Amino acid sequence: MSDIDDESEIFFSIKFLGRIQVVRPGGMQTLTDAVEALQDPNIEMAEKMKKTKVHLFLTRTAIDILEHKTKFMLYSCALPSVSFCAVHPSQPKILGFIAKHPAADMHHCYIFQSKKFSHLLVSIIGDSFRSYKQNQGLQGDRDLVVEALRHKNKVLERENAELKRRLQANGEDAGGVQNIYDNESDSDKTSSRSGQVRFFSEDDETPLQRNF
């Protein structure tokens, strides 16, 4: 077992027996059938690796399988695609995990052999998967909170716009009433002046006042 400086990654140097397409995404029987097929010398398949030594990298988001000497990437499986991981029930050195193909509706079982780390590897893969799901759940909760706040903000903006519109409408009505009052006041003044008519005669210069 080896680990590197980045605490978010860890790798194991183990033997890779190969991968095989499986019908079901999980189950111990699926794993044992896949192991039996890879170990059967009468079965020929392109992805049988003949116990090739590899680096199995575990990160926070994926499981990467690299060729030991060249560090060439053989396979990379995102953690969400992993659906099953276990140690072989009768061969404790054998372990495997099942993952969905990233671009097709099929699953593959990846088979490894390790004298010391089989159970530890399965435990770490399981912990990594649960940690990823938990982080995704927390992220989902945060996204829901942000979306709720955005929705609330939009509602408040609409309410503020409606309140502003009403205030403006009320202000215009008040101005219109004031104009009416002003017009009526001017009319009263005019009527008051027009209601006092003065008549003058040549003999009597005393003004006569007639009120209408």
Side-chain angles (χ1 to χ4, degrees):
M1 173 181 177
S2 304
D3 55 351
I4 57 180
D5 294 336
D6 188 352
E7 295 181 355
S8 65
E9 294 183 347
I10 186 171
F11 72 85
F12 294 80
S13 295
I14 60 177
K15 294 179 180 179
F16 181 42
L17 304 184
R19 76 167 189 173
I20 182 172
Q21 184 176 344
V22 294
V23 178
R24 294 182 296 275
M28 189 62 73
Q29 187 62 48
T30 303
L31 173 63
T32 56
D33 291 344
V35 172
E36 183 178 351
L38 286 175
Q39 292 178 338
D40 190 343
N42 297 321
I43 298 179
E44 295 292 334
M45 59 182 63
E47 295 175 303
K48 186 180 292 188
M49 304 299 293
K50 295 183 180 180
K51 298 183 180 181
T52 301
K53 193 173 183 180
V54 297
H55 288 307
L56 183 67
F57 273 82
L58 301 175
T59 71
R60 294 179 178 177
T61 58
I63 301 174
D64 297 333
I65 304 171
L66 280 68
E67 204 280 330
H68 183 264
K69 292 183 179 180
T70 64
K71 303 300 187 294
F72 176 77
M73 178 77 75
L74 298 175
Y75 302 103
S76 180
C77 302
L79 277 179
S81 69
V82 177
S83 55
F84 182 79
C85 183
V87 175
H88 195 283
S90 60
Q91 302 182 56
K93 297 179 182 179
I94 304 297
L95 69 139
F97 68 86
I98 299 175
K100 188 178 185 299
H101 193 280
D105 188 16
M106 64 177 65
H107 291 79
H108 289 91
C109 185
Y110 298 79
I111 309 298
F112 305 88
Q113 178 178 313
S114 175
K115 294 180 180 180
K116 299 179 180 179
F117 305 125
S118 58
H119 288 87
L120 179 60
L121 257 170
V122 169
S123 177
I124 292 177
I125 292 175
D127 291 342
S128 300
F129 180 80
R130 284 187 290 271
S131 177
Y132 177 85
K133 286 296 184 181
Q134 184 178 6
N135 291 335
Q136 289 297 107
L138 292 175
Q139 181 63 42
D141 292 341
R142 287 194 290 268
D143 292 342
L144 289 176
V145 171
V146 170
E147 187 62 28
L149 290 175
R150 287 177 179 173
H151 177 72
K152 184 176 181 180
N153 187 52
K154 290 180 181 179
V155 172
L156 291 176
E157 288 179 352
R158 288 196 297 267
E159 291 179 351
N160 289 337
E162 179 64 19
L163 180 60
K164 184 177 181 180
R165 186 188 65 79
R166 292 180 180 179
L167 289 175
Q168 290 177 346
N170 291 337
E172 292 176 357
D173 293 343
V177 172
Q178 183 64 37
N179 291 335
I180 293 174
Y181 288 158
D182 292 343
N183 293 336
E184 289 180 352
S185 177
D186 294 341
S187 299
D188 291 342
K189 292 179 181 178
T190 303
S191 299
S192 176
R193 288 194 297 269
S194 62
Q196 295 181 355
V197 182
R198 297 172 182 270
F199 296 92
F200 296 90
S201 63
E202 294 179 356
D203 299 333
D204 190 358
E205 295 181 355
T206 302
L208 298 177
Q209 179 173 305
R210 181 180 179 183
N211 295 325
F212 291 91

